[in-house]
Amino acid sequence: MIITKNKVRIFAMAAILTLSLYSCKPKLPVEMDLSREEFVLINQDSVEVTIPEILKNKISLAGYIFTHCPDICPMTTHNMYRVQKKLTSEEDILFVVISFDPDRDTPSVLKKYAELRDYDLNSWQLLTGKKEEINKLLDNVGVTAIAADSSFTESGELNYYFLHTDRISLVDKEAKVRKNYKGSTADINEIINDIKSLE
Amino acid sequence: MFSFILFVLLFTGQQDQIKIKDAWIRPGAQDMNTAMYFTIKNNGSVTDTLYAVKSKLAQKTEVHETYSKDGMMGMRKAELVVIKPKSSFEFKPGGHHIMLIKLNKDLKSGNEGEITLFFKKTGEVKVKAKVKKPDIKKGS
Ligand SMILES: [Cu+2]
């Protein structure tokens, strides 16, 4: 059989096409493993929950916020809400909101935050807890929150705001973080495609 | 008569210099904070400056700006907002916002709220806005 230049060219083109199709398929590496340590937290209904337990057997989106934040943090949770609205009903995703301000974000404050924004508490968990436990978790995932700017109200109450990491994480069914996004400006379609690539 | 017309023209011109568009308030719970957003349009021929803001919606109302530092996000008080002639300035998620600190009552979708802006040239401008979830399209 005579191998013509043309045949070589066709073969090469086919090979390139196959390779590029293969590499188009997103492959998300494991960024962090949350299954190795236990974090005991409290949800919006004052029920004790543990990570990684609640993250197992379900794909989750986790966002880090403080509810006194009027701008960035509600954008982050609103992006999670938009993902939920855009997903089809067959997809069973858990939405986890973790507060880095446990002093002020009590379960009832978190519950009200969710209710006011129509977050469906069947699929959302808003978590707070003991400061040590929250800090341990934040250290683990590399989320930083530093009390920064503050002001006093007329009645003399201190209002402080955090300088904080702006993040949504995609967590797989084995409690492994597979991708981190900038929470307030995340691309909804990117998150949805990544969720689908894990299913 | 001519000077009277001129006066009226100048006077109404002054009144129309600053226009507030697309105002909305993010939902927020009583005792918590939330933000209001809008676009300020300066149709006049002189620069105007927003220097104060007041409202009965919250214990304290301030002009704030979101900033990023070392890869993190924070927010701080912003003092003056200068709006050049024939230009606009947008208060938007992730940028400048009217910070409503310690809301006097729940602000739920569908509610309405009013604030007063104070400009150096134009004076007081009242802004009414609906409480609503952010527009899906705007990506906020
Ligand atoms: Cu603010």
Side-chain angles (χ1 to χ4, degrees):
Chain A
M1 185 175 145
I2 305 156
I3 300 170
T4 62
K5 263 193 184 164
N6 246 350
K7 272 187 184 155
V8 171
R9 211 171 283 152
I10 289 166
F11 177 77
M13 273 164 67
I16 289 167
L17 195 68
T18 318
L19 274 174
S20 62
L21 276 178
Y22 184 74
S23 60
C24 271
K25 206 177 164 207
K27 216 174 152 235
L28 304 175
V30 173
E31 301 265 349
M32 292 151 204
D33 189 351
L34 291 176
S35 68
R36 291 190 190 163
E37 205 174 335
E38 194 173 73
F39 307 95
V40 183
L41 303 170
I42 303 161
N43 76 7
Q44 71 282 344
D45 296 313
S46 300
V47 174
E48 195 177 278
V49 296
T50 60
I51 287 178
E53 239 19 79
I54 54 160
L55 298 175
K56 281 188 177 157
N57 306 317
K58 243 180 204 186
I59 294 173
S60 317
L61 272 188
Y64 298 86
I65 71 155
F66 72 113
T67 66
H68 278 72
C69 180
D71 193 47
I72 291 294
C73 301
M75 287 165 77
T76 296
T77 57
H78 188 64
N79 279 338
M80 293 165 69
Y81 176 77
R82 287 167 65 205
V83 168
Q84 184 169 35
K85 288 277 149 206
K86 229 178 157 176
L87 284 168
T88 53
S89 52
E90 308 127 47
E91 285 142 325
D92 188 16
I93 310 288
L94 175 67
F95 295 83
V96 185
V97 174
I98 297 154
S99 167
F100 43 68
D101 188 16
D103 285 345
R104 290 184 295 180
D105 285 338
T106 57
S108 60
V109 166
L110 292 174
K111 189 161 189 171
K112 188 124 193 222
Y113 180 91
E115 283 172 349
L116 213 74
R117 291 166 174 80
D118 302 325
Y119 301 157
D120 176 6
L121 292 173
N122 292 312
S123 49
W124 286 66
Q125 291 270 342
L126 291 91
L127 307 179
T128 181
K130 285 196 191 116
K131 225 172 179 163
E132 310 90 75
E133 209 68 11
I134 292 278
N135 286 341
K136 196 171 83 177
L137 174 63
L138 297 180
D139 274 355
N140 243 269
V141 294
V143 167
T144 315
I146 308 159
D149 303 78
S150 62
S151 65
F152 284 94
T153 61
E154 255 141 61
S155 54
E157 273 175 274
L158 177 69
N159 221 304
Y160 56 92
Y161 319 113
F162 287 91
L163 182 64
H164 60 90
T165 310
D166 177 18
R167 183 181 294 172
I168 292 175
S169 299
L170 174 62
V171 188
D172 71 14
K173 292 176 184 174
E174 278 99 50
K176 288 174 178 136
V177 176
R178 301 296 290 276
K179 198 165 179 181
N180 292 316
Y181 313 86
K182 207 160 188 298
S184 64
T185 52
D187 178 347
I188 304 310
N189 294 321
E190 180 190 345
I191 297 180
I192 288 171
N193 287 337
D194 291 340
I195 288 172
K196 285 182 177 155
S197 80
L198 288 184
E199 276 170 341
Chain B
M1 186 62 193
F2 174 73
S3 60
F4 173 73
I5 291 168
L6 188 68
F7 171 77
V8 168
L9 280 175
L10 278 176
F11 184 74
T12 49
Q14 182 98 331
Q15 288 293 300
D16 278 347
Q17 175 165 335
I18 292 290
K19 276 262 182 327
I20 310 295
K21 276 176 37 193
D22 306 326
W24 62 283
I25 304 171
R26 201 185 277 288
Q30 184 177 352
D31 288 328
M32 302 298 286
N33 311 324
T34 197
M36 178 173 178
Y37 307 95
F38 46 72
T39 300
I40 304 173
K41 248 194 122 190
N42 184 355
N43 295 316
S45 50
V46 286
T47 297
D48 209 345
T49 306
L50 172 68
Y51 67 95
V53 51
K54 259 189 197 150
S55 89
K56 287 185 180 141
L57 298 172
Q59 279 198 31
K60 200 170 187 183
T61 309
E62 293 177 340
V63 176
H64 274 213
E65 61 180 347
T66 292
Y67 67 98
S68 72
K69 192 185 167 195
D70 306 327
M72 293 181 281
M73 301 301 288
M75 101 191 134
R76 61 193 166 209
K77 210 176 157 189
E79 296 300 336
L80 302 170
V81 178
V82 176
I83 307 109
K84 297 229 169 72
K86 310 280 177 234
S87 72
S88 20
F89 188 95
E90 203 182 343
F91 278 59
K92 61 178 180 218
H96 274 69
H97 52 273
I98 298 297
M99 174 80 175
L100 300 165
I101 300 167
K102 273 198 160 266
L103 292 172
N104 290 326
K105 59 181 180 116
D106 284 357
L107 287 179
K108 295 181 178 162
S109 289
N111 291 161
E112 208 175 54
E114 189 186 78
I115 65 161
T116 308
L117 303 177
F118 295 84
F119 290 91
K120 282 188 179 165
K121 293 262 158 40
T122 307
E124 278 186 39
V125 176
K126 288 204 189 317
V127 184
K128 264 198 186 133
K130 274 251 160 75
V131 180
K132 62 166 193 149
K133 283 182 205 157
D135 285 341
I136 297 284
K137 262 183 258 149
K138 278 202 164 176
S140 48

